[in-house]
Amino acid sequence: MAKLPAKIKTAGTIVIGTDATYKPNEYLAGDGKTVVGLDVDLFDAVMAKFGIKTQWTPSAFDAIILGVDSGKYDIGVSSFTINKERLGQATMVSYFAAGTQWVTQKGNPKKVDPANACGLNIGAQTGTVQILTDLPARSKKCTDAGKAAINPLVDADQGKVTTSVLSGKADAMLVDLPPALSAVADSQGALELLGAQYDSAPYGYVLPKAGTDFGQAITEALKALKADGTYDKILMKWKAQDGAITSFVVNPAVAS
């Protein structure tokens, strides 16, 4: 308990900012109010090690880091890929790993080639690495070669991005592997994965810049969950065991 922020100790509850549109990692249950998912089960288990209750608060994904910085949320738990830009804004604790996956309609009717998606309509969620770095880099290669730029179709709700592919409005989408697998499974054969995931990187819990002590306490809780089997059991429940990591680190070194 020593490394818990005083506010959380006193309240006995931690307020978590999350984008509840990212199934299976964090999404709304059938009641339309309760946030459930892989990230929820795992972080609830982390906080149980401290005897702290969790309050999951839905937010736009690109507002969570600002919300943590302002004190609106005590922490952000929302499938945040750890990168240098985010490490410049926050303290982050690694707990999982995932890469980017392309998804198309079954049979890839538009014959989308991720290496040459010039001129196509490609969906991605607001504020993600896919829309901030991946698609712009691919589009620049297109325009540098004298080809049409990629047309990004962006929405704050990942579910709506998926719908844009289902409807044909988007020719394909880029998303992290776990929600890609979930989207394909939920589509009843209407969607399929295109190629394999790439650029796998750690996910991180988002804490204020000054939250390194709390971050270290979280790593110790994760190590305990790994040792007693809870960590792997939760990942297996959500069919996400391929994203398991063995080293939990505060502000890990990342390539970009």
Side-chain angles (χ1 to χ4, degrees):
M1 291 288 286
K3 292 182 178 179
L4 281 178
K7 175 188 172 187
I8 298 171
K9 276 188 195 178
T10 301
T13 300
I14 185 167
V15 180
I16 306 151
T18 193
D19 164 33
T21 74
Y22 216 59
K23 186 179 181 181
N25 295 357
E26 43 270 329
Y27 64 103
L28 295 178
D31 63 7
K33 297 183 295 184
T34 306
V35 184
V36 297
L38 163 64
D39 273 349
V40 178
D41 285 355
L42 184 56
F43 194 69
D44 281 354
V46 169
M47 285 297 101
K49 291 291 186 183
F50 301 99
I52 297 295
K53 295 178 182 178
T54 54
Q55 179 183 318
W56 293 86
T57 307
S59 166
F61 181 74
D62 59 354
I64 295 172
I65 292 179
L66 290 173
V68 171
D69 187 54
S70 71
K72 181 178 181 180
Y73 310 121
D74 297 316
I75 194 168
V77 181
S78 200
S79 306
F80 281 98
T81 299
I82 301 178
N83 57 34
K84 287 185 177 179
E85 180 180 358
R86 288 173 179 156
L87 288 172
Q89 300 171 299
T91 285
M92 302 187 75
V93 180
S94 59
Y95 66 93
F96 186 74
T100 292
Q101 176 68 54
W102 285 65
V103 178
T104 65
Q105 286 187 356
K106 184 72 173 180
N108 191 12
K110 298 294 182 67
K111 306 303 179 190
V112 177
D113 175 2
N116 184 21
C118 310
L120 297 182
N121 299 315
I122 307 297
Q125 188 186 32
T126 307
T128 60
V129 293
Q130 287 85 13
I131 197 63
L132 294 176
T133 60
D134 195 325
L135 277 182
R138 292 176 186 274
S139 190
K140 185 177 185 301
K141 286 183 180 179
C142 291
T143 55
D144 285 352
K147 300 178 182 179
I150 293 172
N151 179 34
L153 300 182
V154 188
D155 199 285
D157 184 330
Q158 177 56 41
K160 292 180 180 178
V161 177
T162 301
T163 298
S164 73
V165 182
L166 284 164
S167 69
K169 182 179 179 182
D171 301 313
M173 70 177 181
L174 284 76
V175 66
D176 289 354
L177 180 61
L181 292 170
S182 180
V184 169
D186 289 347
S187 76
Q188 299 180 326
L191 298 176
E192 67 179 21
L193 303 182
L194 178 61
Q197 75 162 338
Y198 56 91
D199 290 346
S200 184
Y203 278 179
Y205 298 136
V206 173
L207 292 164
K209 283 291 284 183
T212 51
D213 282 351
F214 185 26
Q216 192 58 51
I218 290 173
T219 68
E220 296 304 318
L222 284 164
K223 289 175 186 176
L225 292 172
K226 183 75 173 180
D228 68 20
T230 302
Y231 176 86
D232 292 304
K233 183 178 179 181
I234 290 171
L235 267 58
M236 289 180 69
K237 171 187 172 181
W238 293 100
K239 299 180 174 62
Q241 55 268 33
D242 287 351
I245 62 174
T246 56
S247 179
F248 309 103
V249 181
V250 178
N251 294 333
V254 290
S256 60

